[in-house]
Amino acid sequence: MRRFPCRLKVSRVLDLAKQYLERTVVANRRADGLYYAYYLMQVDPDGGISIRQLAEMLEGQVAVLSSGCLDARESIDLLESLRASSLYRPDQHRYLLYPDRILTGFMEKNVLPERFVDESLLLKKMLEMKDKRLVSRDAAGQVRFHPEFRNSADLCAAMDGVEECDSLERDRLLAAYEAVFDHQSFTGRSGTFFKYEGLGCIYWHMVSKLLLAVQEILIEARSQNETPEVVARLLERYGEIQAGVGAKKSVIEQGAFPTDPYSHTPSMLGAQQPGLTGQVKEDFIVRLRELGVRIEEGCLKFDPFLLADTEFLEESAEFAGMTLAAGSFGFTFCKVPIVIGRANRMAICVRYHDGNNVRSDELCLDAATSRDIFCRRGVVELIEVSMLC
């Protein structure tokens, strides 16, 4: 067995990789405060590699926010830049996957710029001879490649039959063909359709990912004792994103039943393709955290600071076989009813089916009680959480 004189521990390799990844994130910051997400790579005939960037995308901003590379203040700067960017769609209070654009019309496609013709003695000669094997001039005087060419392979096959087409001309024509059609930048339906997550579309799964990413940053900032100003600004950004989610909108705004999950919303229609899309997963996690549910080191905790005032009942209501008082809020977790109310101090009361009650000033259950709830053992009857007014 071959022995290596020097061995790197896996942790060291991962640490090194992390450093390079973090530098990559910083290097991809754009002048407008957003971050590049994708690049196009092309291997040149001389062995070199050329790289160019694609346009800004919501996916790239979500990836950066989720990466943990940005602190709370940097995240705020990115979110404010995102709001001011061409990705923002004011009528829906929401963000597009990528900026909308005007597509090239059919008659404007496959037009060879005259500069390519001027540089090629072969093309000039073939046009004069009306030899249409490679290109032809239309009634408007524009030069176009042969209409039956589907790709550069078809062009190469046609050039093989032209004796005067030397290696220099081949390279020029192939370069011209790519310049005209730009096949390398083809991104499928997303760059050519106006529906199905295409141009001008809101892609709801990515919006939910954005909301979750900002929520994670907000919770982390609060746990790290960030200044009230920073937390307040993050809360404002979070509220702006949340306000555009379907469940927060009217039927007219959403163009569909607001509480259903959807695939996308194109620019000319309401929300499309209802069903259990990827949006559901993020929305479920987001909602659970808004309710204050946290699980840390196997223990169930409550921190309902994200609950808005509008969440609390304005008058009493029936819930899980009990009457909730006005000013409270109820939900279930692992089949256990949880009631959140307001008081002048934080406290938690766990009521057991055997009649025992356990109170604590810390909004955290012990590991054993948490495990009883997670396993749905039917031991806990009710949890009452009191949060500061």
Side-chain angles (χ1 to χ4, degrees):
M1 184 176 69
R2 184 179 178 185
R3 295 182 179 276
F4 293 91
C6 189
R7 293 182 178 179
L8 285 175
K9 292 183 178 180
V10 173
S11 60
R12 171 67 182 125
V13 174
L14 293 177
D15 286 341
L16 186 62
K18 182 181 178 183
Q19 292 176 31
Y20 278 100
L21 288 172
E22 289 175 347
R23 291 179 186 177
T24 301
V25 170
V26 173
N28 276 277
R29 191 174 189 275
R30 295 159 42 102
D32 60 4
L34 301 182
Y35 287 78
Y36 286 110
Y38 289 101
Y39 286 80
L40 295 173
M41 185 190 81
Q42 182 173 352
V43 179
D44 301 324
D46 60 1
I49 295 177
S50 60
I51 302 289
R52 60 191 176 99
Q53 298 142 332
L54 286 178
E56 64 271 32
M57 296 184 183
L58 178 59
E59 186 175 359
Q61 318 320 309
V62 174
V64 171
L65 290 167
S66 302
S67 69
C69 291
L70 306 184
D71 61 26
R73 296 169 190 269
E74 291 170 330
S75 298
I76 292 171
D77 291 340
L78 171 53
L79 291 169
E80 291 178 347
S81 297
L82 183 60
R83 184 81 168 186
S85 74
S86 57
L87 293 173
Y88 182 61
R89 187 172 152 183
D91 66 318
Q92 288 284 327
H93 316 295
R94 192 54 49 242
Y95 300 97
L96 304 174
L97 268 179
Y98 24 72
D100 200 357
R101 60 188 175 88
I102 299 175
L103 295 177
T104 304
F106 181 78
M107 295 305 294
E108 284 74 48
K109 294 180 179 180
N110 190 19
V111 176
L112 186 63
E114 286 295 331
R115 63 183 178 86
F116 288 108
V117 178
D118 294 337
E119 293 172 355
S120 174
L121 294 176
L122 174 63
L123 290 186
K124 288 180 181 178
K125 181 179 178 180
M126 294 184 76
L127 287 170
E128 290 174 2
M129 300 295 293
K130 298 189 183 310
D131 184 343
K132 299 181 180 181
R133 285 178 291 173
L134 300 181
V135 297
S136 61
R137 195 178 293 277
D138 65 15
Q142 295 177 312
V143 177
R144 301 176 186 270
F145 282 102
H146 195 290
E148 293 186 3
F149 291 167
R150 296 167 299 175
N151 50 45
S152 58
D154 287 348
L155 173 60
C156 287
M159 288 190 292
D160 290 340
V162 180
E163 292 183 3
E164 300 90 337
C165 190
D166 56 23
S167 59
L168 179 60
E169 288 286 5
R170 290 178 70 93
D171 289 344
R172 282 177 177 171
L173 281 170
L174 286 170
Y177 191 78
E178 179 58 28
V180 169
F181 292 101
D182 192 21
H183 291 114
Q184 188 193 25
S185 299
F186 180 68
T187 54
R189 69 182 186 184
S190 62
T192 55
F193 286 8
F194 287 94
K195 285 188 68 179
Y196 309 108
E197 298 101 55
L199 294 171
C201 276
I202 297 169
Y203 181 45
W204 288 105
H205 188 189
M206 193 55 61
V207 172
S208 292
K209 286 186 176 182
L210 174 65
L211 185 64
L212 177 58
V214 177
Q215 186 188 70
E216 289 174 341
I217 293 168
L218 178 54
I219 292 173
E220 177 66 15
R222 194 165 178 270
S223 68
Q224 295 298 321
N225 295 318
E226 267 287 359
T227 65
E229 178 193 0
V230 169
V231 174
R233 288 177 67 188
L234 279 171
L235 275 169
E236 184 178 355
R237 301 286 85 79
Y238 180 80
E240 288 173 350
I241 300 169
Q242 187 189 51
V245 173
K248 301 290 183 179
K249 294 155 77 172
S250 67
V251 173
I252 294 176
E253 286 179 311
Q254 184 73 344
F257 291 106
T259 52
D260 281 348
Y262 295 89
S263 168
H264 63 281
T265 296
S267 58
M268 76 294 287
L269 294 170
Q272 302 289 293
Q273 289 182 268
L276 285 175
T277 64
Q279 177 189 8
V280 175
K281 171 169 58 68
E282 272 74 21
D283 284 356
F284 178 81
I285 296 172
V286 163
R287 185 56 178 159
L288 202 58
R289 289 177 173 176
E290 284 178 352
L291 297 175
V293 175
R294 308 282 189 274
I295 300 173
E296 297 178 8
E297 298 181 355
C299 295
L300 182 61
K301 301 177 64 175
F302 297 93
D303 185 16
F305 79 98
L306 283 171
L307 275 179
D309 291 340
T310 54
E311 299 270 18
F312 293 88
L313 294 172
E314 294 183 358
E315 55 185 37
S316 62
E318 294 300 312
F319 168 72
M322 69 184 81
T323 300
L324 294 184
S328 65
F329 178 89
F331 64 96
T332 62
F333 180 78
C334 294
K335 293 187 176 182
V336 175
I338 298 170
V339 177
I340 297 178
R342 289 175 168 140
N344 56 8
R345 56 180 290 184
M346 291 192 304
I348 190 169
C349 177
V350 181
R351 296 186 180 182
Y352 295 88
H353 278 290
D354 62 6
N356 289 326
N357 296 336
V358 176
R359 298 180 182 276
S360 174
D361 291 336
E362 295 184 5
L363 304 186
C364 180
L365 305 183
D366 59 59
T369 303
S370 299
R371 191 160 48 250
D372 287 337
I373 294 172
F374 299 152
C375 295
R376 293 172 167 81
R377 290 174 177 157
V379 175
V380 178
E381 179 182 12
L382 173 68
I383 297 175
E384 295 175 310
V385 179
S386 299
M387 57 183 291
L388 291 175
C389 296

